[in-house]
Amino acid sequence: MYTIVTLGPSGAGKTVYLAALWHMLKLEHPRLKCYLKPESRQQEYKLGQIYNDVAGPGEWPLPTDGNVFPEWTFSCKVKSQHGTYTALKVRYIDYAGDRLTDPQSGSSEQDRLEETLRNADALLGLLDGRKVLKLMRGNGEFLDRDMTQVFSLMQDCEGPIHFVITKWDLLAGHYSLRQIRERLMEHPDFATLARSRTDWHIRRMPIPPGRMRLIPVSSVGREFAFLGADGGMHKRDNARPRPLNVDVAFAAVLPDLVARAYDAAKADQERVRREARGQRRGWFSDFARVVASTVAAPVSTVLATRGIQVPVHLIAAFLSSGTGAVASAVNIPPSELRKARRLQRSFRKRSVNAVTDDAAAAQFVLHRLVEELQAFERSPENDGTVLS
């Protein structure tokens, strides 16, 4: 199981996003070929209730109570002709916005929050689309008022950080993701956080931090709600929600975790290479043996501890196909590497019925998530999504 903490000021749409994510993936996704199952019937009922409040004609759901700390645990399931298998488990922790923007109001829980953030596998920071719209029109005070504390808390997380711009329907067609990125980078705190992820080698960090992304999302889609003269979001009559990019924010986490594990392996490989440089001529056999442990261990351990059973040689072939360096580094026999690469190529045409156990389900879902993410990144309108 891996843990994602959602952060953002009150009203940014954290709980609505999670409800929309579950609604979109409660049935098998047509491209990902997997679905999400909440941990309990109670969680399933609660998420359904939240989404019905969003989709219905009544008021929007109330903000998260600052005295509770909702945790939503999902199993990602794959169903094939051989049975139903669990590819991975993911836990979302939803912190009330008031506890982030006004930490004094929850000082007794501040230590718990900071510890949770340090131990999180990834962070999901939500930027309220209404306030981003004001930012693009010249009023960026929300970054100082609402987000400075969030940026400060995020800097201790070494995993991926994904910023989700909610209510993207307000911005689409008026501003590009690239324009918004450039405007955000003008804020010193946001820029410092982003640059801390790109200059890790300058500071000689042993392991690169996780990737930082900017993802435009609308939990209800276009034409469902509009911004009223009072500054509030109002539902249109007889409109149906059509969530946009909600699945992309979910799809990006696992590939970025795998990529970081692989980056850690490569960093260890380089460290061993430097240490071995200048030693006796026959150092290569020792190098290969040492690197086999320092490279294979981070990838397999990091993923296995999170319930993600993906063979190291498959990850190596998947992330570095076409080179032999990885095979040498992790001491993979050439026959195994060729097998892994054939498996990698075959996944594009592979039917879900090839899944026969949980490990195969994890491999299958990993490849589907990467394809979904790559398709998103290739779209010209999403230029600027990767910040580091």
Side-chain angles (χ1 to χ4, degrees):
M1 180 187 298
Y2 61 90
T3 300
I4 302 172
V5 180
T6 61
L7 301 172
S10 180
K14 299 184 298 297
T15 306
V16 170
Y17 163 76
L18 292 174
L21 173 64
W22 169 76
H23 183 79
M24 176 173 269
L25 290 173
K26 69 178 181 181
L27 299 176
E28 184 179 271
H29 192 281
R31 295 183 302 278
L32 299 179
K33 297 299 181 183
C34 63
Y35 62 95
L36 295 182
K37 187 72 175 177
E39 182 181 45
S40 65
R41 289 286 185 184
Q42 183 179 9
Q43 285 194 357
E44 190 169 2
Y45 171 77
K46 182 63 176 177
L47 287 167
Q49 188 179 47
I50 294 171
Y51 189 80
N52 288 337
D53 288 343
V54 171
E59 297 295 322
W60 299 98
L62 295 174
T64 302
D65 187 342
N67 295 315
V68 298
F69 301 89
E71 295 187 9
W72 311 93
T73 302
F74 301 99
S75 293
C76 181
K77 300 283 189 177
V78 176
K79 184 179 290 187
S80 76
Q81 65 182 10
H82 305 285
T84 301
Y85 304 100
T86 300
L88 55 99
K89 290 186 177 181
V90 56
R91 177 177 62 153
Y92 286 90
I93 300 178
D94 179 6
Y95 271 92
D98 290 342
R99 289 189 178 273
L100 299 172
T101 56
D102 184 13
Q104 293 301 317
S105 66
S107 56
S108 63
E109 294 292 340
Q110 194 67 11
D111 290 342
R112 173 185 170 186
L113 168 60
E114 292 177 3
E115 182 180 2
T116 300
L117 293 176
R118 282 193 297 270
N119 296 328
D121 295 303
L123 300 182
L124 194 66
L126 275 74
L127 300 171
D128 190 335
R130 286 183 301 176
K131 296 175 180 178
V132 173
L133 182 62
K134 291 182 179 180
L135 170 69
M136 299 306 293
R137 292 173 174 174
N139 181 1
E141 65 177 12
F142 90 97
L143 290 174
D144 292 319
R145 185 185 65 247
D146 298 343
M147 297 302 297
T148 296
Q149 176 68 9
V150 175
F151 298 150
S152 177
L153 291 169
M154 283 180 163
Q155 67 183 340
D156 289 331
C157 177
E158 296 181 353
I161 296 178
H162 296 163
F163 281 99
V164 166
I165 303 176
T166 64
K167 307 179 181 72
W168 183 249
D169 44 297
L170 297 179
L171 296 153
H174 301 288
Y175 301 99
S176 69
L177 189 61
R178 171 67 63 175
Q179 288 175 314
I180 294 173
R181 168 185 171 160
E182 291 173 355
R183 183 65 183 86
L184 287 170
M185 288 296 289
E186 292 176 6
H187 190 273
D189 292 345
F190 186 89
T192 297
L193 182 64
R195 287 168 185 153
S196 71
R197 304 246 145 186
T198 57
D199 67 358
W200 62 271
H201 56 285
I202 297 175
R203 291 177 287 127
R204 298 185 178 181
M205 294 173 62
I207 299 176
R211 189 162 293 166
M212 188 165 159
R213 294 180 180 274
L214 193 62
I215 304 174
V217 166
S218 175
S219 296
V220 295
R222 302 177 184 181
E223 305 302 327
F224 179 82
F226 64 95
L227 185 63
D230 59 356
M233 296 298 296
H234 301 276
K235 301 176 184 180
R236 299 182 189 275
D237 294 336
N238 302 318
R240 291 182 58 190
R242 299 182 185 278
L244 175 69
N245 291 342
V246 170
D247 52 341
V248 174
F250 170 75
V253 177
L254 180 57
D256 281 358
L257 285 174
V258 172
R260 182 169 186 262
Y262 186 66
D263 285 342
K266 290 196 295 184
D268 278 342
Q269 176 187 352
E270 180 59 29
R271 178 181 59 79
V272 174
R273 190 191 305 275
R274 288 196 303 268
E275 292 175 355
R277 193 172 294 152
Q279 295 182 5
R280 57 189 175 86
R281 288 184 60 188
W283 66 267
F284 183 80
S285 59
D286 293 335
F287 166 76
R289 184 179 66 255
V290 173
V291 173
S293 60
T294 59
V295 172
V299 178
S300 59
T301 301
V302 167
L303 298 181
T305 56
R306 289 155 176 78
I308 306 168
Q309 304 297 329
V310 184
V312 175
H313 73 276
L314 179 61
I315 296 171
F318 169 63
L319 292 173
S320 190
S321 59
T323 70
V326 175
S328 299
V330 297
N331 203 23
I332 301 171
S335 60
E336 283 296 303
L337 187 65
R338 287 195 297 269
K339 178 181 177 181
R341 287 175 176 161
R342 286 196 300 270
L343 183 60
Q344 160 66 16
R345 290 192 296 267
S346 72
F347 262 99
R348 288 188 177 275
K349 300 179 180 179
R350 178 164 291 206
S351 165
V352 69
N353 286 328
V355 174
T356 57
D357 54 29
D358 287 350
Q363 297 170 25
F364 181 83
V365 168
L366 172 60
H367 285 264
R368 293 285 177 165
L369 293 176
V370 169
E371 286 186 354
E372 186 79 358
L373 184 58
Q374 289 177 340
F376 169 79
E377 290 178 336
R378 282 194 296 266
S379 174
E381 66 183 15
N382 297 322
D383 177 43
T385 183
V386 179
L387 290 162
S388 68

